[in-house]
Amino acid sequence: MEFAELIKTPRADNVVLHCPFHLAVEGTLCLTGHHLIFSSRRQDNAEELWLLHSNIDSIEKRFVGSLGTIVIKCKDLRIIQLDIPGMEECLNIASSIEALSTLDSVTLMYPFFYRPMFEVLEDGWSSFLLEQEFELLSSVTNEWRLSCVNKEFSVCHSYPPVVIVPKCIDDEALRKVALFRQGGRFPVLSYYHKKNGMAMLRSSQPLTGTNGRRCKEDEKLINATLRSGRRGFVIDTRPLAVAQQARAKGGGFEQEVHYPQWRRIHKYIERFNILQESFIKLVEACNDQSHNMDRWLSKLEASNWLTHIKELLTAACLAAQCIDRESASVLVHGSEGTDSTLQVTSLAQIILDPRCRTIRGFEALVVREWLQAGHPFQQRCAQSAYSNSKQKWEAPVFLLFLECVWQIHRQFPCSFEFNEQFLILLFEHAYASQFGTFLGNNENERAKLKLPQKTMSLWSWVNRPEELSRFQNPLYEANSLVIWPSVAPQSLQLWEGVFLRWNRPSKFLEEAEIERINIIKYNKELQAKVNALRRQLAEMEADEEVQEE
Amino acid sequence: QVEQVKLLDRFSTSNKSLTGTLYLTATHLLFIDSSQRETWILHHHIAAVEKLPLTTSGCPLVIQCKNFRIVHFVVPRERDCHDIYNSLLQLSRTAKYEELYAFSYNPKQNESEQVKGWQLIDLAEEYKRMGVPNDYWQLSDANREYKICETYPRELYVPRTASKPIIVGSSKFRSKGRFPVLSYYHKNKEAAICRCSQPLSGFSARCLEDEHMLQAISKANPSNRYMYVMDTRPKLNAMANRAAGKGYENEDNYSNIRFQFVGIENIHVMRSSLQKLLEVSGTRGLSVNDFLSGLENSGWLRHIKAVLDAAVFLAKAIAVESASVLVHCSDGWDRTSQVCSLGALLLDSYYRTIKGFMVLIEKDWISFGHKFSDRCCQLDGDPKEISPVFTQFLESVWNLTEQFPQAFEYNEAFLLQIHEHVHSCQFGNFLGNCQKEREELKLKEKTYSLWPFLLADQKKYQNPLYNPDFSPELTLLEPNTVSFNFKFWRNMYHQFDRSMHPRQSMFNLIMNTSEQNKQLEEDIKELEAKIKQRSGQSDAVHEKEQDHAVPVALKSPPCFQKEPLPMPANDAVRAIEGSNPADNRYSELVSEFSKAEPAVVSLEFGVARMTC
């Protein structure tokens, strides 16, 4: 298919661009296969806007006489308006945008066409391999092994080719366990707590069904992570009733009789369609500037967004607490084990593991616990908060995770190597990107699409020193402790950097941030200077003493 | 003194407690726990004491403070508890001003320092700074002896064209005699903020002198012919007042006025709003939705927004239209003080400095007779007179500091400290209801002024991000008052609930770093001087070898004692933060981790255990 077929009017002049809190600008609009480009023709500081078609969430058009207006709502929540003279041009452009922003085929997406303008120093596709992770692990314990049982994606289609499992469990047993877990997602190691040797596993629900099926290998696998005489915790992200109902459909939960050493805790985390609804409501509330105080607060409440944040943080704290305080191993799962499970395991690691609070470590966490673990990004991030179509696979699962990290970041502003912008960057790229990192739903699909060969990785770009400097937190100071956030409603806040980003002037806040960075920078300069002067003085003194002698 | 008393954590369900000894002094309640940490509570800060039903571990005693601290003691013996309860009731309710802490508080200042302290804020000076008296405005001696209005200050500024009979006539037509006077003069726009109380218009009464008065104000502004009259009450309240012979200005009777209702609720609504807010925020195990709906139902943020919206309207009338504005409510000492002071704060960057903010409070709140004594319940009085009007003012200012982080010289701690002392009755400034009363109490001789103490401590109250050139002089600060900009002020209402605050304070870090930067700059100067001196000396050393006294002294300059070896930059920041006893949040964080169970999570864990 040629993109040109979809573009009937590639260019329109005298278009007026309206962005909130900016003066309207007149200029030229161009459509290409992947971008909408607006350029003001003013000689002095010409303004340009490049918008990826895949970033467009919805488009509305209306006419006043022959002047057409297109309102474009983006997946990063921005809303822009274009006034286009000429009814035909406007209609053509609108239908082109609509077609180009809803391409079915992944291989037509921009990452397959994007040619980087920068030198690749390190290929992001091979920056975070599980083998490296395992090497680190083997330096502290030999109770685990790398298994290639899923090499051909034959045991579990949503798992990566290699996984870490207890050493005493062989591949044959893993195959059997896979049959006992939904989607073949048998329990694998998610995190190893070096401090006390406790492990966090994740999986999908066991297929016990109504007649209480059991699987000896499954029991053996998870028991292998327990110290003798100690108990472990199963954190089920569904309420008990839902878990019980799941049995009718062949699913289920670990029953006490068969798992006597495990205590089950049901910690409910909402599922995708409810989260999507919550997301849409929240964005709606934030975008309406005319709300009076009562309406705003009741809309904020009705969105339930902050409730989801609190639930999720609480569940993650609980998992972290079991591991760090109770010295118990933990198995986390919900139904499929691809959404709420990953939210809990990855957030618990942010709390427990100082390495995950560095830039590199956080990237590794996203790769390990989200991309390789098979969170279906393609499905979940197909549409954002402005989509009208009722598709049931979209959900801001990853965004919720990022926001929880942000909430913890706010409470421990000196413990993270990255800044808020880094989290926002990941949000943007999960929904629309020139990089292939977030394409596909799991490693299996990524391999089939040959993404590592055909597209550029986000990490190749972001880990270059000149980009990285934008995402560094000047206040960072390595903190090796476990960080326990407060989950009281008074301690949680709306993530303004995402939800109010386009709805208010932020100039003063940005300037204040720059001032903060300057104070820290200046401090470092002064320290260096004082130290140099002291050394100089000490040397002079020493010289003098020598002379005296 | 009672021993073996337990202090419970307000928000923990795990019954975590500290055991210690409770002492009652003449002025304070003191609790010292087993690790010798002290909790001081001033008797005047106590808003309510409550004895709860006896439990197995003892008799619970809950003390609510005006600074929103809530402490929950468990006293082992009921009789002790009863005694403490009775003593606290007596001690926290004072009948006479002379018994307040301010009259016994002795900060070891001598008499001349005391006098100088009171002279620190000079309102005559302030009016001069604004540019009055001038061709249009003059100082009136009408109220020199408090004859026209008891609740106004002696010195009032009025239009030159307003003669004494007009003033007297107008004051008779205004509630409590509070006739229109100058509150703020904008010298660039030649426009004025004036304030008064409601007119006694009833349904049809009019007063020519009052009409003249308004005309005089209007004419005192050469750049605009019309003026605004802002009635800060909701229209319905103002109309109801007409039945009582009060009311609002009829536009037909006053030429060239533009009349405007603003809709800020009265003191009773505000009081119960705060009450609701505190009930919600004090709930244990609060859910997000209960918190948000409680916040909504309390109406608190709606009121804060209303106040700030009114101030923005006022400031814009002056800055954009160059129109003078007359502000009033009913008596003109609550809502009027809020709106006039916030309006001036938006218009004039001087009020965004530490000294300027003190002046603003002295002018629009203290001198114009905001009834601090009644509103803050300094003496045992009518509970219906209590209202958090001043707290709302501080909260509005806090909201502005959040939107304009670089526009204010002072920080949040400054606002909190002022709030603390409005209720502490430790200094004379806020005692009484008006200037006349303060003079009668001889406060300037018998008590001390708060301001010099705050100024002496100003390092603590400085905003490290402050940029004096943030906005040119007399340019308007235009806040965004869309609802989502207003946030719950956690540091005010949960100031003492440490578990709710960020465990690492970015603000403190920046504050300390910026403080350290100043110190380092000095160190560098000192070191450079020494190096210069020494290099000069080493040339001269052959000639003057006997002069050894100087190098010896140089070997231990102060900066060397502090940090003997060059340290990595980061460690120094941390060291400073930990070494500041007033702010040991960071070190507290470490100790928090060493405790057996984290308070925050165990709460949830308890819940989780019950469900499984």
Side-chain angles (χ1 to χ4, degrees), chain B residues 49-180:
Chain B
V49 196
E50 201 185 347
K51 239 172 57 173
L52 300 180
L54 202 64
T55 65
T56 46
S57 55
C59 190
L61 189 70
V62 179
I63 300 173
Q64 275 183 44
C65 301
K66 292 172 186 169
N67 55 5
F68 309 115
R69 183 203 282 267
I70 294 183
V71 282
H72 194 142
F73 291 114
V74 176
V75 186
R77 285 171 51 198
E78 200 192 357
R79 255 195 68 185
D80 290 338
C81 182
H82 195 71
D83 287 348
I84 300 172
Y85 175 75
N86 281 339
S87 316
L88 285 180
L89 275 190
Q90 272 175 8
L91 288 165
S92 64
R93 284 184 193 162
T94 315
K96 278 195 293 191
Y97 281 116
E98 284 78 4
E99 290 164 10
L100 291 173
Y101 187 31
F103 288 88
S104 60
Y105 174 66
N106 184 358
K108 301 197 176 66
Q109 268 191 349
N110 63 35
E111 215 165 289
S112 76
E113 281 173 319
Q114 184 180 16
V115 172
K116 258 172 81 188
W118 280 111
Q119 287 165 348
L120 184 69
I121 305 296
D122 179 357
L123 289 185
E125 199 61 40
E126 168 59 9
Y127 284 100
K128 216 184 273 169
R129 187 194 68 86
M130 290 180 205
V132 286
N134 60 18
D135 292 348
Y136 301 103
W137 295 88
Q138 66 177 4
L139 180 63
S140 158
D141 60 2
N143 203 38
R144 185 124 292 167
E145 308 300 326
Y146 295 117
K147 275 190 183 137
I148 294 182
C149 176
E150 290 200 336
T151 58
Y152 266 172
R154 290 177 188 272
E155 302 194 334
L156 294 167
Y157 291 82
V158 294
R160 274 193 193 276
T161 52
S163 62
K164 192 137 183 203
I166 289 181
I167 293 175
V168 174
S170 168
S171 82
K172 286 190 175 139
F173 188 62
R174 295 272 168 183
S175 198
K176 307 277 193 319
R178 294 171 69 94
F179 62 97

Side-chain angles (χ1 to χ4, degrees), chain A residues 291-293, chain B residues 300-311 396 399 481-483 486:
Chain A
H291 286 326
N292 65 27
M293 186 60 73
Chain B
W300 184 254
L301 292 180
R302 173 162 48 93
H303 300 315
I304 300 289
K305 176 170 154 58
V307 171
L308 208 49
D309 273 330
S396 306
N399 266 301
T481 59
V482 175
S483 300
F486 294 83

Side-chain angles (χ1 to χ4, degrees), chain B residues 245-260:
Chain B
K246 299 165 187 173
Y248 54 91
E249 290 82 356
N250 182 341
E251 268 179 293
D252 301 338
N253 298 340
Y254 294 84
S255 50
N256 295 326
I257 71 162
R258 295 188 180 179
F259 189 83
Q260 179 82 29

Side-chain angles (χ1 to χ4, degrees), chain B residues 78 82 93 134 183 195 207 330 352 395 418 462 475 536:
Chain B
E78 200 192 357
H82 195 71
R93 284 184 193 162
N134 60 18
S183 159
R195 54 185 291 171
C207 166
S330 298
R352 293 171 229 144
E395 185 161 337
I418 290 174
Q462 265 160 358
T475 47

Side-chain angles (χ1 to χ4, degrees), chain A residues 380-394:
Chain A
R380 298 288 180 262
C381 301
Q383 299 264 253
S384 172
Y386 299 122
S387 66
N388 304 316
S389 57
K390 279 247 184 250
Q391 283 172 312
K392 61 175 184 175
W393 298 115
E394 286 84 14

Side-chain angles (χ1 to χ4, degrees), chain A residues 426-474:
Chain A
L426 292 182
F427 159 62
E428 289 173 343
H429 282 274
Y431 279 87
S433 174
Q434 67 269 46
F435 302 107
T437 302
F438 291 101
L439 291 183
N441 289 311
N442 49 49
E443 292 296 275
N444 190 357
E445 288 186 24
R446 283 181 202 111
K448 278 183 191 148
L449 289 166
K450 296 203 169 61
L451 290 180
Q453 293 82 35
K454 292 188 171 169
T455 71
M456 183 55 60
S457 162
L458 170 65
W459 317 123
S460 310
W461 174 71
V462 86
N463 283 336
R464 296 159 67 249
E466 53 266 59
E467 301 302 332
L468 219 45
S469 63
R470 280 167 38 214
F471 302 115
Q472 262 151 356
N473 173 11

